[in-house]
Amino acid sequence: MTSAKPVSEFSLFGRDLFGDPVKPRAAAGPLSQAFTLPPFSVLDARSGPWQERKRAWLALGIKGEEGRKASGANAYGDLSENPREAASTKKIAAVGDGATVFDPVICELAYQWFAPPRGLIIDPFAGGSVRGVVAACLGRKYWGSELRAEQVEANREQAAQLCPELPPQYVCGDSMETLASAPDADLIFSCPPYGDLETYSDDPRDLSGMEWHTFAAAYKTIIHRACKRLKNDRFACFVVGDFRDHRGFYRDFVSETIRGFRESGCELYNDAVLVTAVGSASMRVTKQFEAGRKFCKTHQNVLVFCKGDWRRATEALG
């Protein structure tokens, strides 16, 4: 297993015989050279350059699924008749044990585009190890709050192996409480639980086990408390996707997220569509569409907010 190196040495694709960073084969064009991938409002996770970067990140030894096992009616299985979306709707990507893991490339882009070098990132829904490990590899400090002790332990074990020089800080507890003692942040970045689409524990404080109205209130409270830790003239970024209620109608989770940030003093600044893998949707779409005219969802929303002046926030990125 390859250990992550400090930001001054870290090169995702390694180095050549002369010590220079190796460039990805699929990267081409001035936009990719300047910004890693083109900063368009449609981000294509199916593209060759994206997939090449994703493979390189996973080759470091990141195992975001460790410590994560979703349970309940919304875990894996045949969800084609469930009003809620099936596996392809769940956060970014899927793994075989029923939990989902975060795509390291969208994480890499968010940090490079919206977090200052050596800045500190707050993640109120830390979940698996991916966001913390990528932050450390890119020379950013990371503070993440996670409710489940077994997940925190799994994340810490990976961090000790992959990024011992700048280990992410994982705090075990409810974000409702832990954010009060969180450090001041240069970026808020997270992917929150999608209601009860995946159930992670039977802890009554776990948002994934709450009824929708309780979930929405707690969710926006956590956003508010995270935004209080965000420095002025800084960005925040959430990766979210809508999901259906028990009647088959969308919850409008994206709009709830935008309202939560606006009520916390952060205005919507960018909205990108993240095109994700089709996966099993090609097998489910016929039955799902014929039975109820439901589309199979193969995208997420990447919402970027700004607290304060976007010009100063941009200047702070160096």
Side-chain angles (χ1 to χ4, degrees):
M1 183 178 296
T2 304
S3 296
K5 297 181 180 180
V7 67
S8 60
E9 300 179 23
F10 180 74
S11 174
L12 182 58
F13 295 92
R15 294 178 180 272
D16 60 24
L17 294 176
F18 302 99
D20 297 322
V22 175
K23 296 181 180 180
R25 294 184 301 275
L31 289 177
S32 294
Q33 294 176 9
F35 306 114
T36 304
L37 290 171
F40 295 147
S41 61
V42 176
L43 303 170
D44 187 2
R46 304 174 191 171
S47 70
W50 188 293
Q51 287 296 314
E52 186 173 9
R53 299 195 75 83
K54 183 176 180 178
R55 287 191 294 269
W57 277 112
L58 296 180
L60 294 178
I62 300 176
K63 297 180 181 178
E65 71 275 13
E66 288 192 356
R68 307 188 66 217
K69 289 189 178 180
S71 62
N74 296 315
Y76 275 40
D78 183 6
L79 302 182
S80 57
E81 297 182 0
N82 192 312
R84 299 177 177 87
E85 296 293 341
S88 63
T89 306
K90 300 178 182 181
K91 308 174 200 168
I92 309 304
V95 293
D97 67 355
T100 57
V101 295
F102 200 75
D103 190 321
V105 180
I106 188 61
C107 191
E108 174 190 12
L109 297 179
Y111 295 162
Q112 290 187 340
W113 291 351
F114 301 110
R118 296 176 295 280
L120 188 141
I121 296 146
I122 278 184
D123 184 350
F125 304 104
S129 63
V130 176
R131 294 191 288 276
V133 170
V134 174
C137 288
L138 298 178
R140 273 76 171 179
K141 300 175 184 177
Y142 175 93
W143 183 99
S145 181
E146 165 59 36
L147 186 62
R148 296 176 301 115
E150 63 270 24
Q151 181 66 75
V152 171
E153 182 61 27
N155 291 353
R156 288 172 176 168
E157 288 180 2
Q158 282 197 59
Q161 293 179 322
L162 299 177
C163 44
E165 298 86 357
L166 186 63
Q169 181 181 1
Y170 294 102
V171 177
C172 186
D174 186 352
S175 291
M176 287 277 212
E177 301 172 355
T178 58
L179 283 166
S181 57
D184 292 337
D186 295 290
L187 173 71
I188 297 171
F189 182 65
S190 196
C191 184
Y194 289 13
D196 60 353
L197 192 61
E198 289 180 341
T199 303
Y200 298 110
S201 75
D202 56 4
D203 191 316
R205 300 172 297 172
D206 192 333
L207 267 66
S208 68
M210 295 180 180
E211 295 292 333
W212 170 248
H213 66 282
T214 307
F215 169 91
Y219 175 56
K220 287 191 281 190
T221 298
I222 290 172
I223 289 175
H224 177 71
R225 294 180 180 179
C227 289
K228 288 181 68 176
R229 309 312 307 172
L230 184 63
K231 297 176 184 176
N232 290 326
D233 307 323
R234 294 294 190 272
F235 293 107
C237 179
F238 264 32
V239 179
V240 296
D242 216 341
F243 58 96
R244 300 182 189 273
D245 63 17
H246 67 281
R247 303 170 302 159
F249 294 103
Y250 274 119
R251 295 283 195 186
D252 203 10
F253 187 40
V254 175
S255 296
E256 285 291 327
T257 302
I258 294 172
R259 279 192 289 271
F261 273 96
R262 280 182 170 159
E263 291 169 1
S264 304
C266 296
E267 292 294 332
L268 182 64
Y269 190 66
N270 284 317
D271 181 5
V273 173
L274 176 62
V275 180
T276 53
V278 173
S280 63
S282 60
M283 296 183 289
R284 294 180 287 104
V285 66
T286 300
K287 184 177 181 179
Q288 184 170 309
F289 193 72
E290 287 182 345
R293 286 301 185 265
K294 294 187 179 76
F295 295 148
C296 273
K297 199 159 181 281
T298 58
H299 78 277
Q300 305 291 298
N301 291 78
V302 180
L303 305 176
V304 180
F305 304 89
C306 184
K307 179 180 180 179
D309 189 319
W310 59 266
R311 299 172 186 83
R312 294 177 181 172
T314 302
E315 290 174 358
L317 300 176

